[in-house]
Amino acid sequence: MHTQAAKTDLKNCTQHQLVRFVESLGQPSFRGRQLLAWIYKPGIAEFSQMTDLAKEFRAILAESATISRFDEFQVECSRDGAVKFAFLLADGRLIESVLIPEEERNTLCLSTQVGCAMGCGFCLTGAMGFSRNLTTAEIVNQVCAVRDWTLAHDRGPLTNLVFMGMGEPLANFDHLLDAISIFTEQRGLDFSNRRITVSTCGLAPQMKQLGDLTDVNLAVSLHAANDAVRSRLMPVNNRYPIAELIETCRTYRQKRRKRIMFEYTLLDGINDSDRDAEQLAGLLREVPCKINLLAVNPAGNPAYKSPGQERILHFQHILRSRGYTVFIRQSRGEDIAAACGQLAGKGWNEKTGESGGTADRKADEDGRKPPPTP
């Protein structure tokens, strides 16, 4: 029995892959570059809208290709301005992304997997377990959907992308690279490399590859300065212990003046002592870096509690006195389970099944909708 070949989702394709695709259809290579420019224009959903392409070519595209998009999603707004998006995938699974508006930027926190296999003890996404990697299109469509939403709601353009949502980005390496290519291509979504950050829990071999193949920023979730504590918090440390991780960071290829960002979640009585701060300062002395301190967010495990603002400030003081640039990240979106470590794919309103703004309207009724971004 003859079965029709599946159509190619063009949002899975980088510019190079689009060029090869149109050539396979008997078209000149420049048509691939034209396609890339059309696909990522706001509001483009049909080949019939691509007015500078010949009608015959548009008809061929309609038979052999598709342009995917997230038509079904829900939006929930935090009191502090963060906005969580729950996206329904074609197989019925859910992912979440978080928009973090600030005075001069709109940062989108992206997911790369459904769930996560890394099993970090203080993270709800890890407690979900791992279902599958996202496709390139599913990564890219988070940005397209949120970009269109911000434009429709007069929130200003997206300016920054951070791969800090659901999943370990470097465990979905090929699709991550393709998504970065689309994000940074001028005909694609046209983001600067310096406005994209990839966060990892410490997959050392893939970190090296990322540095060799891209110029994006790197953030490393460290959370402890010795193997005993880090292995307790993060099982990945049993595969790539601290010495190997730090050596990978020390030799990481990056542009001059770029520094690795180390993420350090402070857990009361576990990794927040003066000794921990001193150990961390010694550990990072040969790595050009910045340090981001954050208090643990409620994630369902009572064993992990925030040490409180006074201890966090003291920890920061010790590191600063050793010459480090140290920030304290203010948690955003905790009231809608959108803060770091809280994404768990539970954002869909199963009762109504409505999409594209159901929760956003409810937030507005409750007086919780954030002010427009300047």
Side-chain angles (χ1 to χ4, degrees):
M1 182 177 66
H2 176 72
T3 57
Q4 186 176 5
K7 292 184 177 182
T8 298
D9 183 352
L10 298 186
K11 282 191 175 175
N12 276 322
C13 300
T14 64
Q15 178 170 269
H16 177 67
Q17 292 163 347
L18 281 173
V19 167
R20 288 190 301 174
F21 175 71
V22 299
E23 288 175 343
S24 75
L25 299 177
Q27 299 291 319
S29 60
F30 76 88
R31 293 295 187 200
R33 294 185 285 274
Q34 280 185 305
L35 267 180
L36 185 69
W38 274 111
I39 291 167
Y40 293 105
K41 287 184 178 180
I44 298 298
E46 304 290 340
F47 295 114
S48 60
Q49 297 171 281
M50 301 179 182
T51 51
D52 64 349
L53 301 183
K55 285 186 178 180
E56 294 81 2
F57 181 42
R58 281 182 268 168
I60 293 171
L61 287 172
E63 291 180 357
S64 58
T66 185
I67 309 169
S68 66
R69 56 185 292 164
F70 284 144
D71 289 318
E72 294 190 81
F73 63 93
Q74 293 186 341
V75 184
E76 190 171 5
C77 299
S78 168
R79 296 181 184 92
D80 62 25
V83 186
K84 182 169 73 172
F85 296 81
F87 296 108
L88 184 64
L89 306 181
D91 61 3
R93 292 182 168 92
L94 295 175
I95 57 169
E96 294 176 342
S97 308
V98 181
L99 175 67
I100 306 169
E102 297 174 278
E103 189 172 346
E104 295 182 355
R105 67 174 69 182
N106 273 330
T107 300
L108 182 62
C109 181
L110 293 166
S111 294
T112 52
Q113 297 178 317
V114 183
C116 184
M118 297 298 106
C120 300
F122 50 87
C123 178
L124 272 179
T125 309
M128 290 174 61
F130 173 74
S131 294
R132 66 171 176 86
N133 286 325
L134 298 185
T135 65
T136 300
E138 288 168 337
I139 297 172
V140 169
N141 275 327
Q142 294 171 68
V143 177
C144 294
V146 177
R147 174 201 63 184
D148 294 348
W149 186 90
T150 60
L151 291 174
H153 290 75
D154 196 25
R155 301 294 181 90
L158 288 180
T159 60
N160 294 68
L161 304 176
V162 294
F163 287 90
M164 297 181 181
M166 299 170 67
E168 163 54 56
L170 298 188
N172 188 10
F173 193 76
D174 291 342
H175 292 157
L176 171 72
L177 285 188
D178 286 350
I180 290 172
S181 175
I182 293 166
F183 292 152
T184 56
E185 172 58 52
Q186 188 175 17
R187 293 183 180 90
L189 287 161
D190 197 22
F191 283 88
S192 167
N193 283 290
R194 64 186 177 86
R195 293 188 176 272
I196 299 175
T197 299
V198 174
S199 178
T200 178
C201 67
L203 302 187
Q206 291 89 340
M207 287 168 60
K208 183 181 184 305
Q209 287 180 283
L210 184 74
D212 290 342
L213 297 173
T214 77
D215 288 324
V216 299
N217 302 306
L218 177 67
V220 177
S221 296
L222 189 57
H223 308 314
N226 64 77
D227 284 323
V229 176
R230 193 166 191 266
S231 292
R232 170 184 166 189
L233 299 174
M234 306 175 70
V236 69
N237 197 69
N238 295 313
R239 290 168 57 196
Y240 305 110
I242 286 178
E244 183 176 353
L245 176 60
I246 296 303
E247 179 61 17
T248 301
C249 293
R250 190 185 67 80
T251 58
Y252 186 77
R253 181 180 175 183
Q254 54 189 346
K255 284 188 175 180
R256 189 178 177 185
R257 294 191 299 275
K258 270 196 176 184
R259 291 181 286 173
I260 292 173
M261 175 69 79
F262 285 98
E263 307 280 352
Y264 194 99
T265 298
L266 287 156
L267 308 166
D268 186 32
I270 296 174
N271 66 353
D272 64 335
S273 69
D274 290 4
R275 182 182 178 186
D276 289 315
E278 296 283 3
Q279 196 170 15
L280 181 60
L283 182 69
L284 302 181
R285 65 183 179 275
E286 294 184 7
V287 182
C289 67
K290 300 174 285 187
I291 301 171
N292 228 355
L293 301 178
L294 53 158
V296 66
N297 292 304
N301 189 334
Y304 302 116
K305 298 177 181 178
S306 170
Q309 189 68 8
E310 184 177 345
R311 173 106 293 265
I312 295 171
L313 288 170
H314 185 65
F315 201 95
Q316 180 190 42
H317 172 73
I318 293 173
L319 293 171
R320 282 184 168 177
S321 71
R322 303 300 185 270
Y324 290 96
T325 301
V326 187
F327 306 99
I328 297 176
R329 188 201 293 178
Q330 299 302 314
S331 182
R332 302 282 296 274
E334 184 178 320
D335 59 313
I336 57 170
C340 183
Q342 291 186 323
L343 299 186
K346 296 180 180 178
W348 198 262
N349 187 333
E350 297 290 353
K351 290 185 179 180
T352 65
E354 295 178 73
S355 63
T358 303
D360 181 40
R361 288 192 292 273
K362 182 179 186 302
D364 205 10
E365 292 163 6
D366 292 343
R368 296 191 284 114
K369 194 165 184 174
T373 302

